[in-house]
Amino acid sequence: QVQLVESGGGLVQAGGSLRLSCAASGSIGRINAMGWHRQAPGKQRELVAATTSGGSTNYADSVKGRFTVSRDNAKNTVYLQMNSLKPEDTAVYYCNVDRTAWGTRAVYWGQGTQVTVSS
């Protein structure tokens, strides 16, 4: 099992910044990718940003140029730096880790952290 603990959400005005953190612990094994999704009320969960073990990154078009995903491999932690926040970024943000341990690949999710951007 893998446990994910998220932090850094909150309320911010439009144009402001927030930094989310997500620390993984437990049976980590080999991490294939870590990233962030978000879900706004009445909408489906969507990918925000992800980073692979090889260092490549992937972003939703809506956040390119504003958000940056990074990872500290030594701490098994993934970060999401969010700048120039917009009201439409308001959502619950979930981190996830894709890992392989004992030959089994699985994806784990955090409990979610609320990000609210006021206009």
Side-chain angles (χ1 to χ4, degrees):
Q1 288 291 333
V2 174
Q3 294 78 44
L4 299 175
V5 178
E6 301 158 346
S7 61
L11 172 65
V12 65
Q13 288 188 332
S17 298
L18 283 174
R19 188 191 193 209
L20 306 182
S21 300
C22 175
S25 62
S27 301
I28 300 295
R30 184 185 76 247
I31 293 179
N32 304 305
M34 299 183 79
W36 295 89
H37 285 64
R38 68 186 180 187
Q39 188 166 18
K43 295 187 177 181
Q44 291 188 333
R45 189 174 296 190
E46 62 175 359
L47 171 70
V48 177
T51 177
T52 69
S53 59
S56 63
T57 56
N58 184 34
Y59 295 92
D61 288 342
S62 60
V63 306
K64 284 180 180 177
R66 300 188 297 122
F67 291 10
T68 302
V69 63
S70 60
R71 191 166 134 189
D72 185 331
N73 291 327
K75 297 180 179 179
N76 291 320
T77 299
V78 63
Y79 304 94
L80 185 67
Q81 178 66 43
M82 304 184 293
N83 298 327
S84 301
L85 282 160
K86 304 175 180 180
E88 51 263 43
D89 294 318
T90 295
V92 178
Y93 283 70
Y94 299 90
C95 77
N96 69 280
V97 60
D98 174 346
R99 74 96 167 101
T100 300
W102 299 290
T104 300
R105 187 167 183 169
V107 177
Y108 294 86
W109 294 86
Q111 79 283 0
T113 184
Q114 177 71 46
V115 171
T116 302
V117 184
S118 63
S119 57

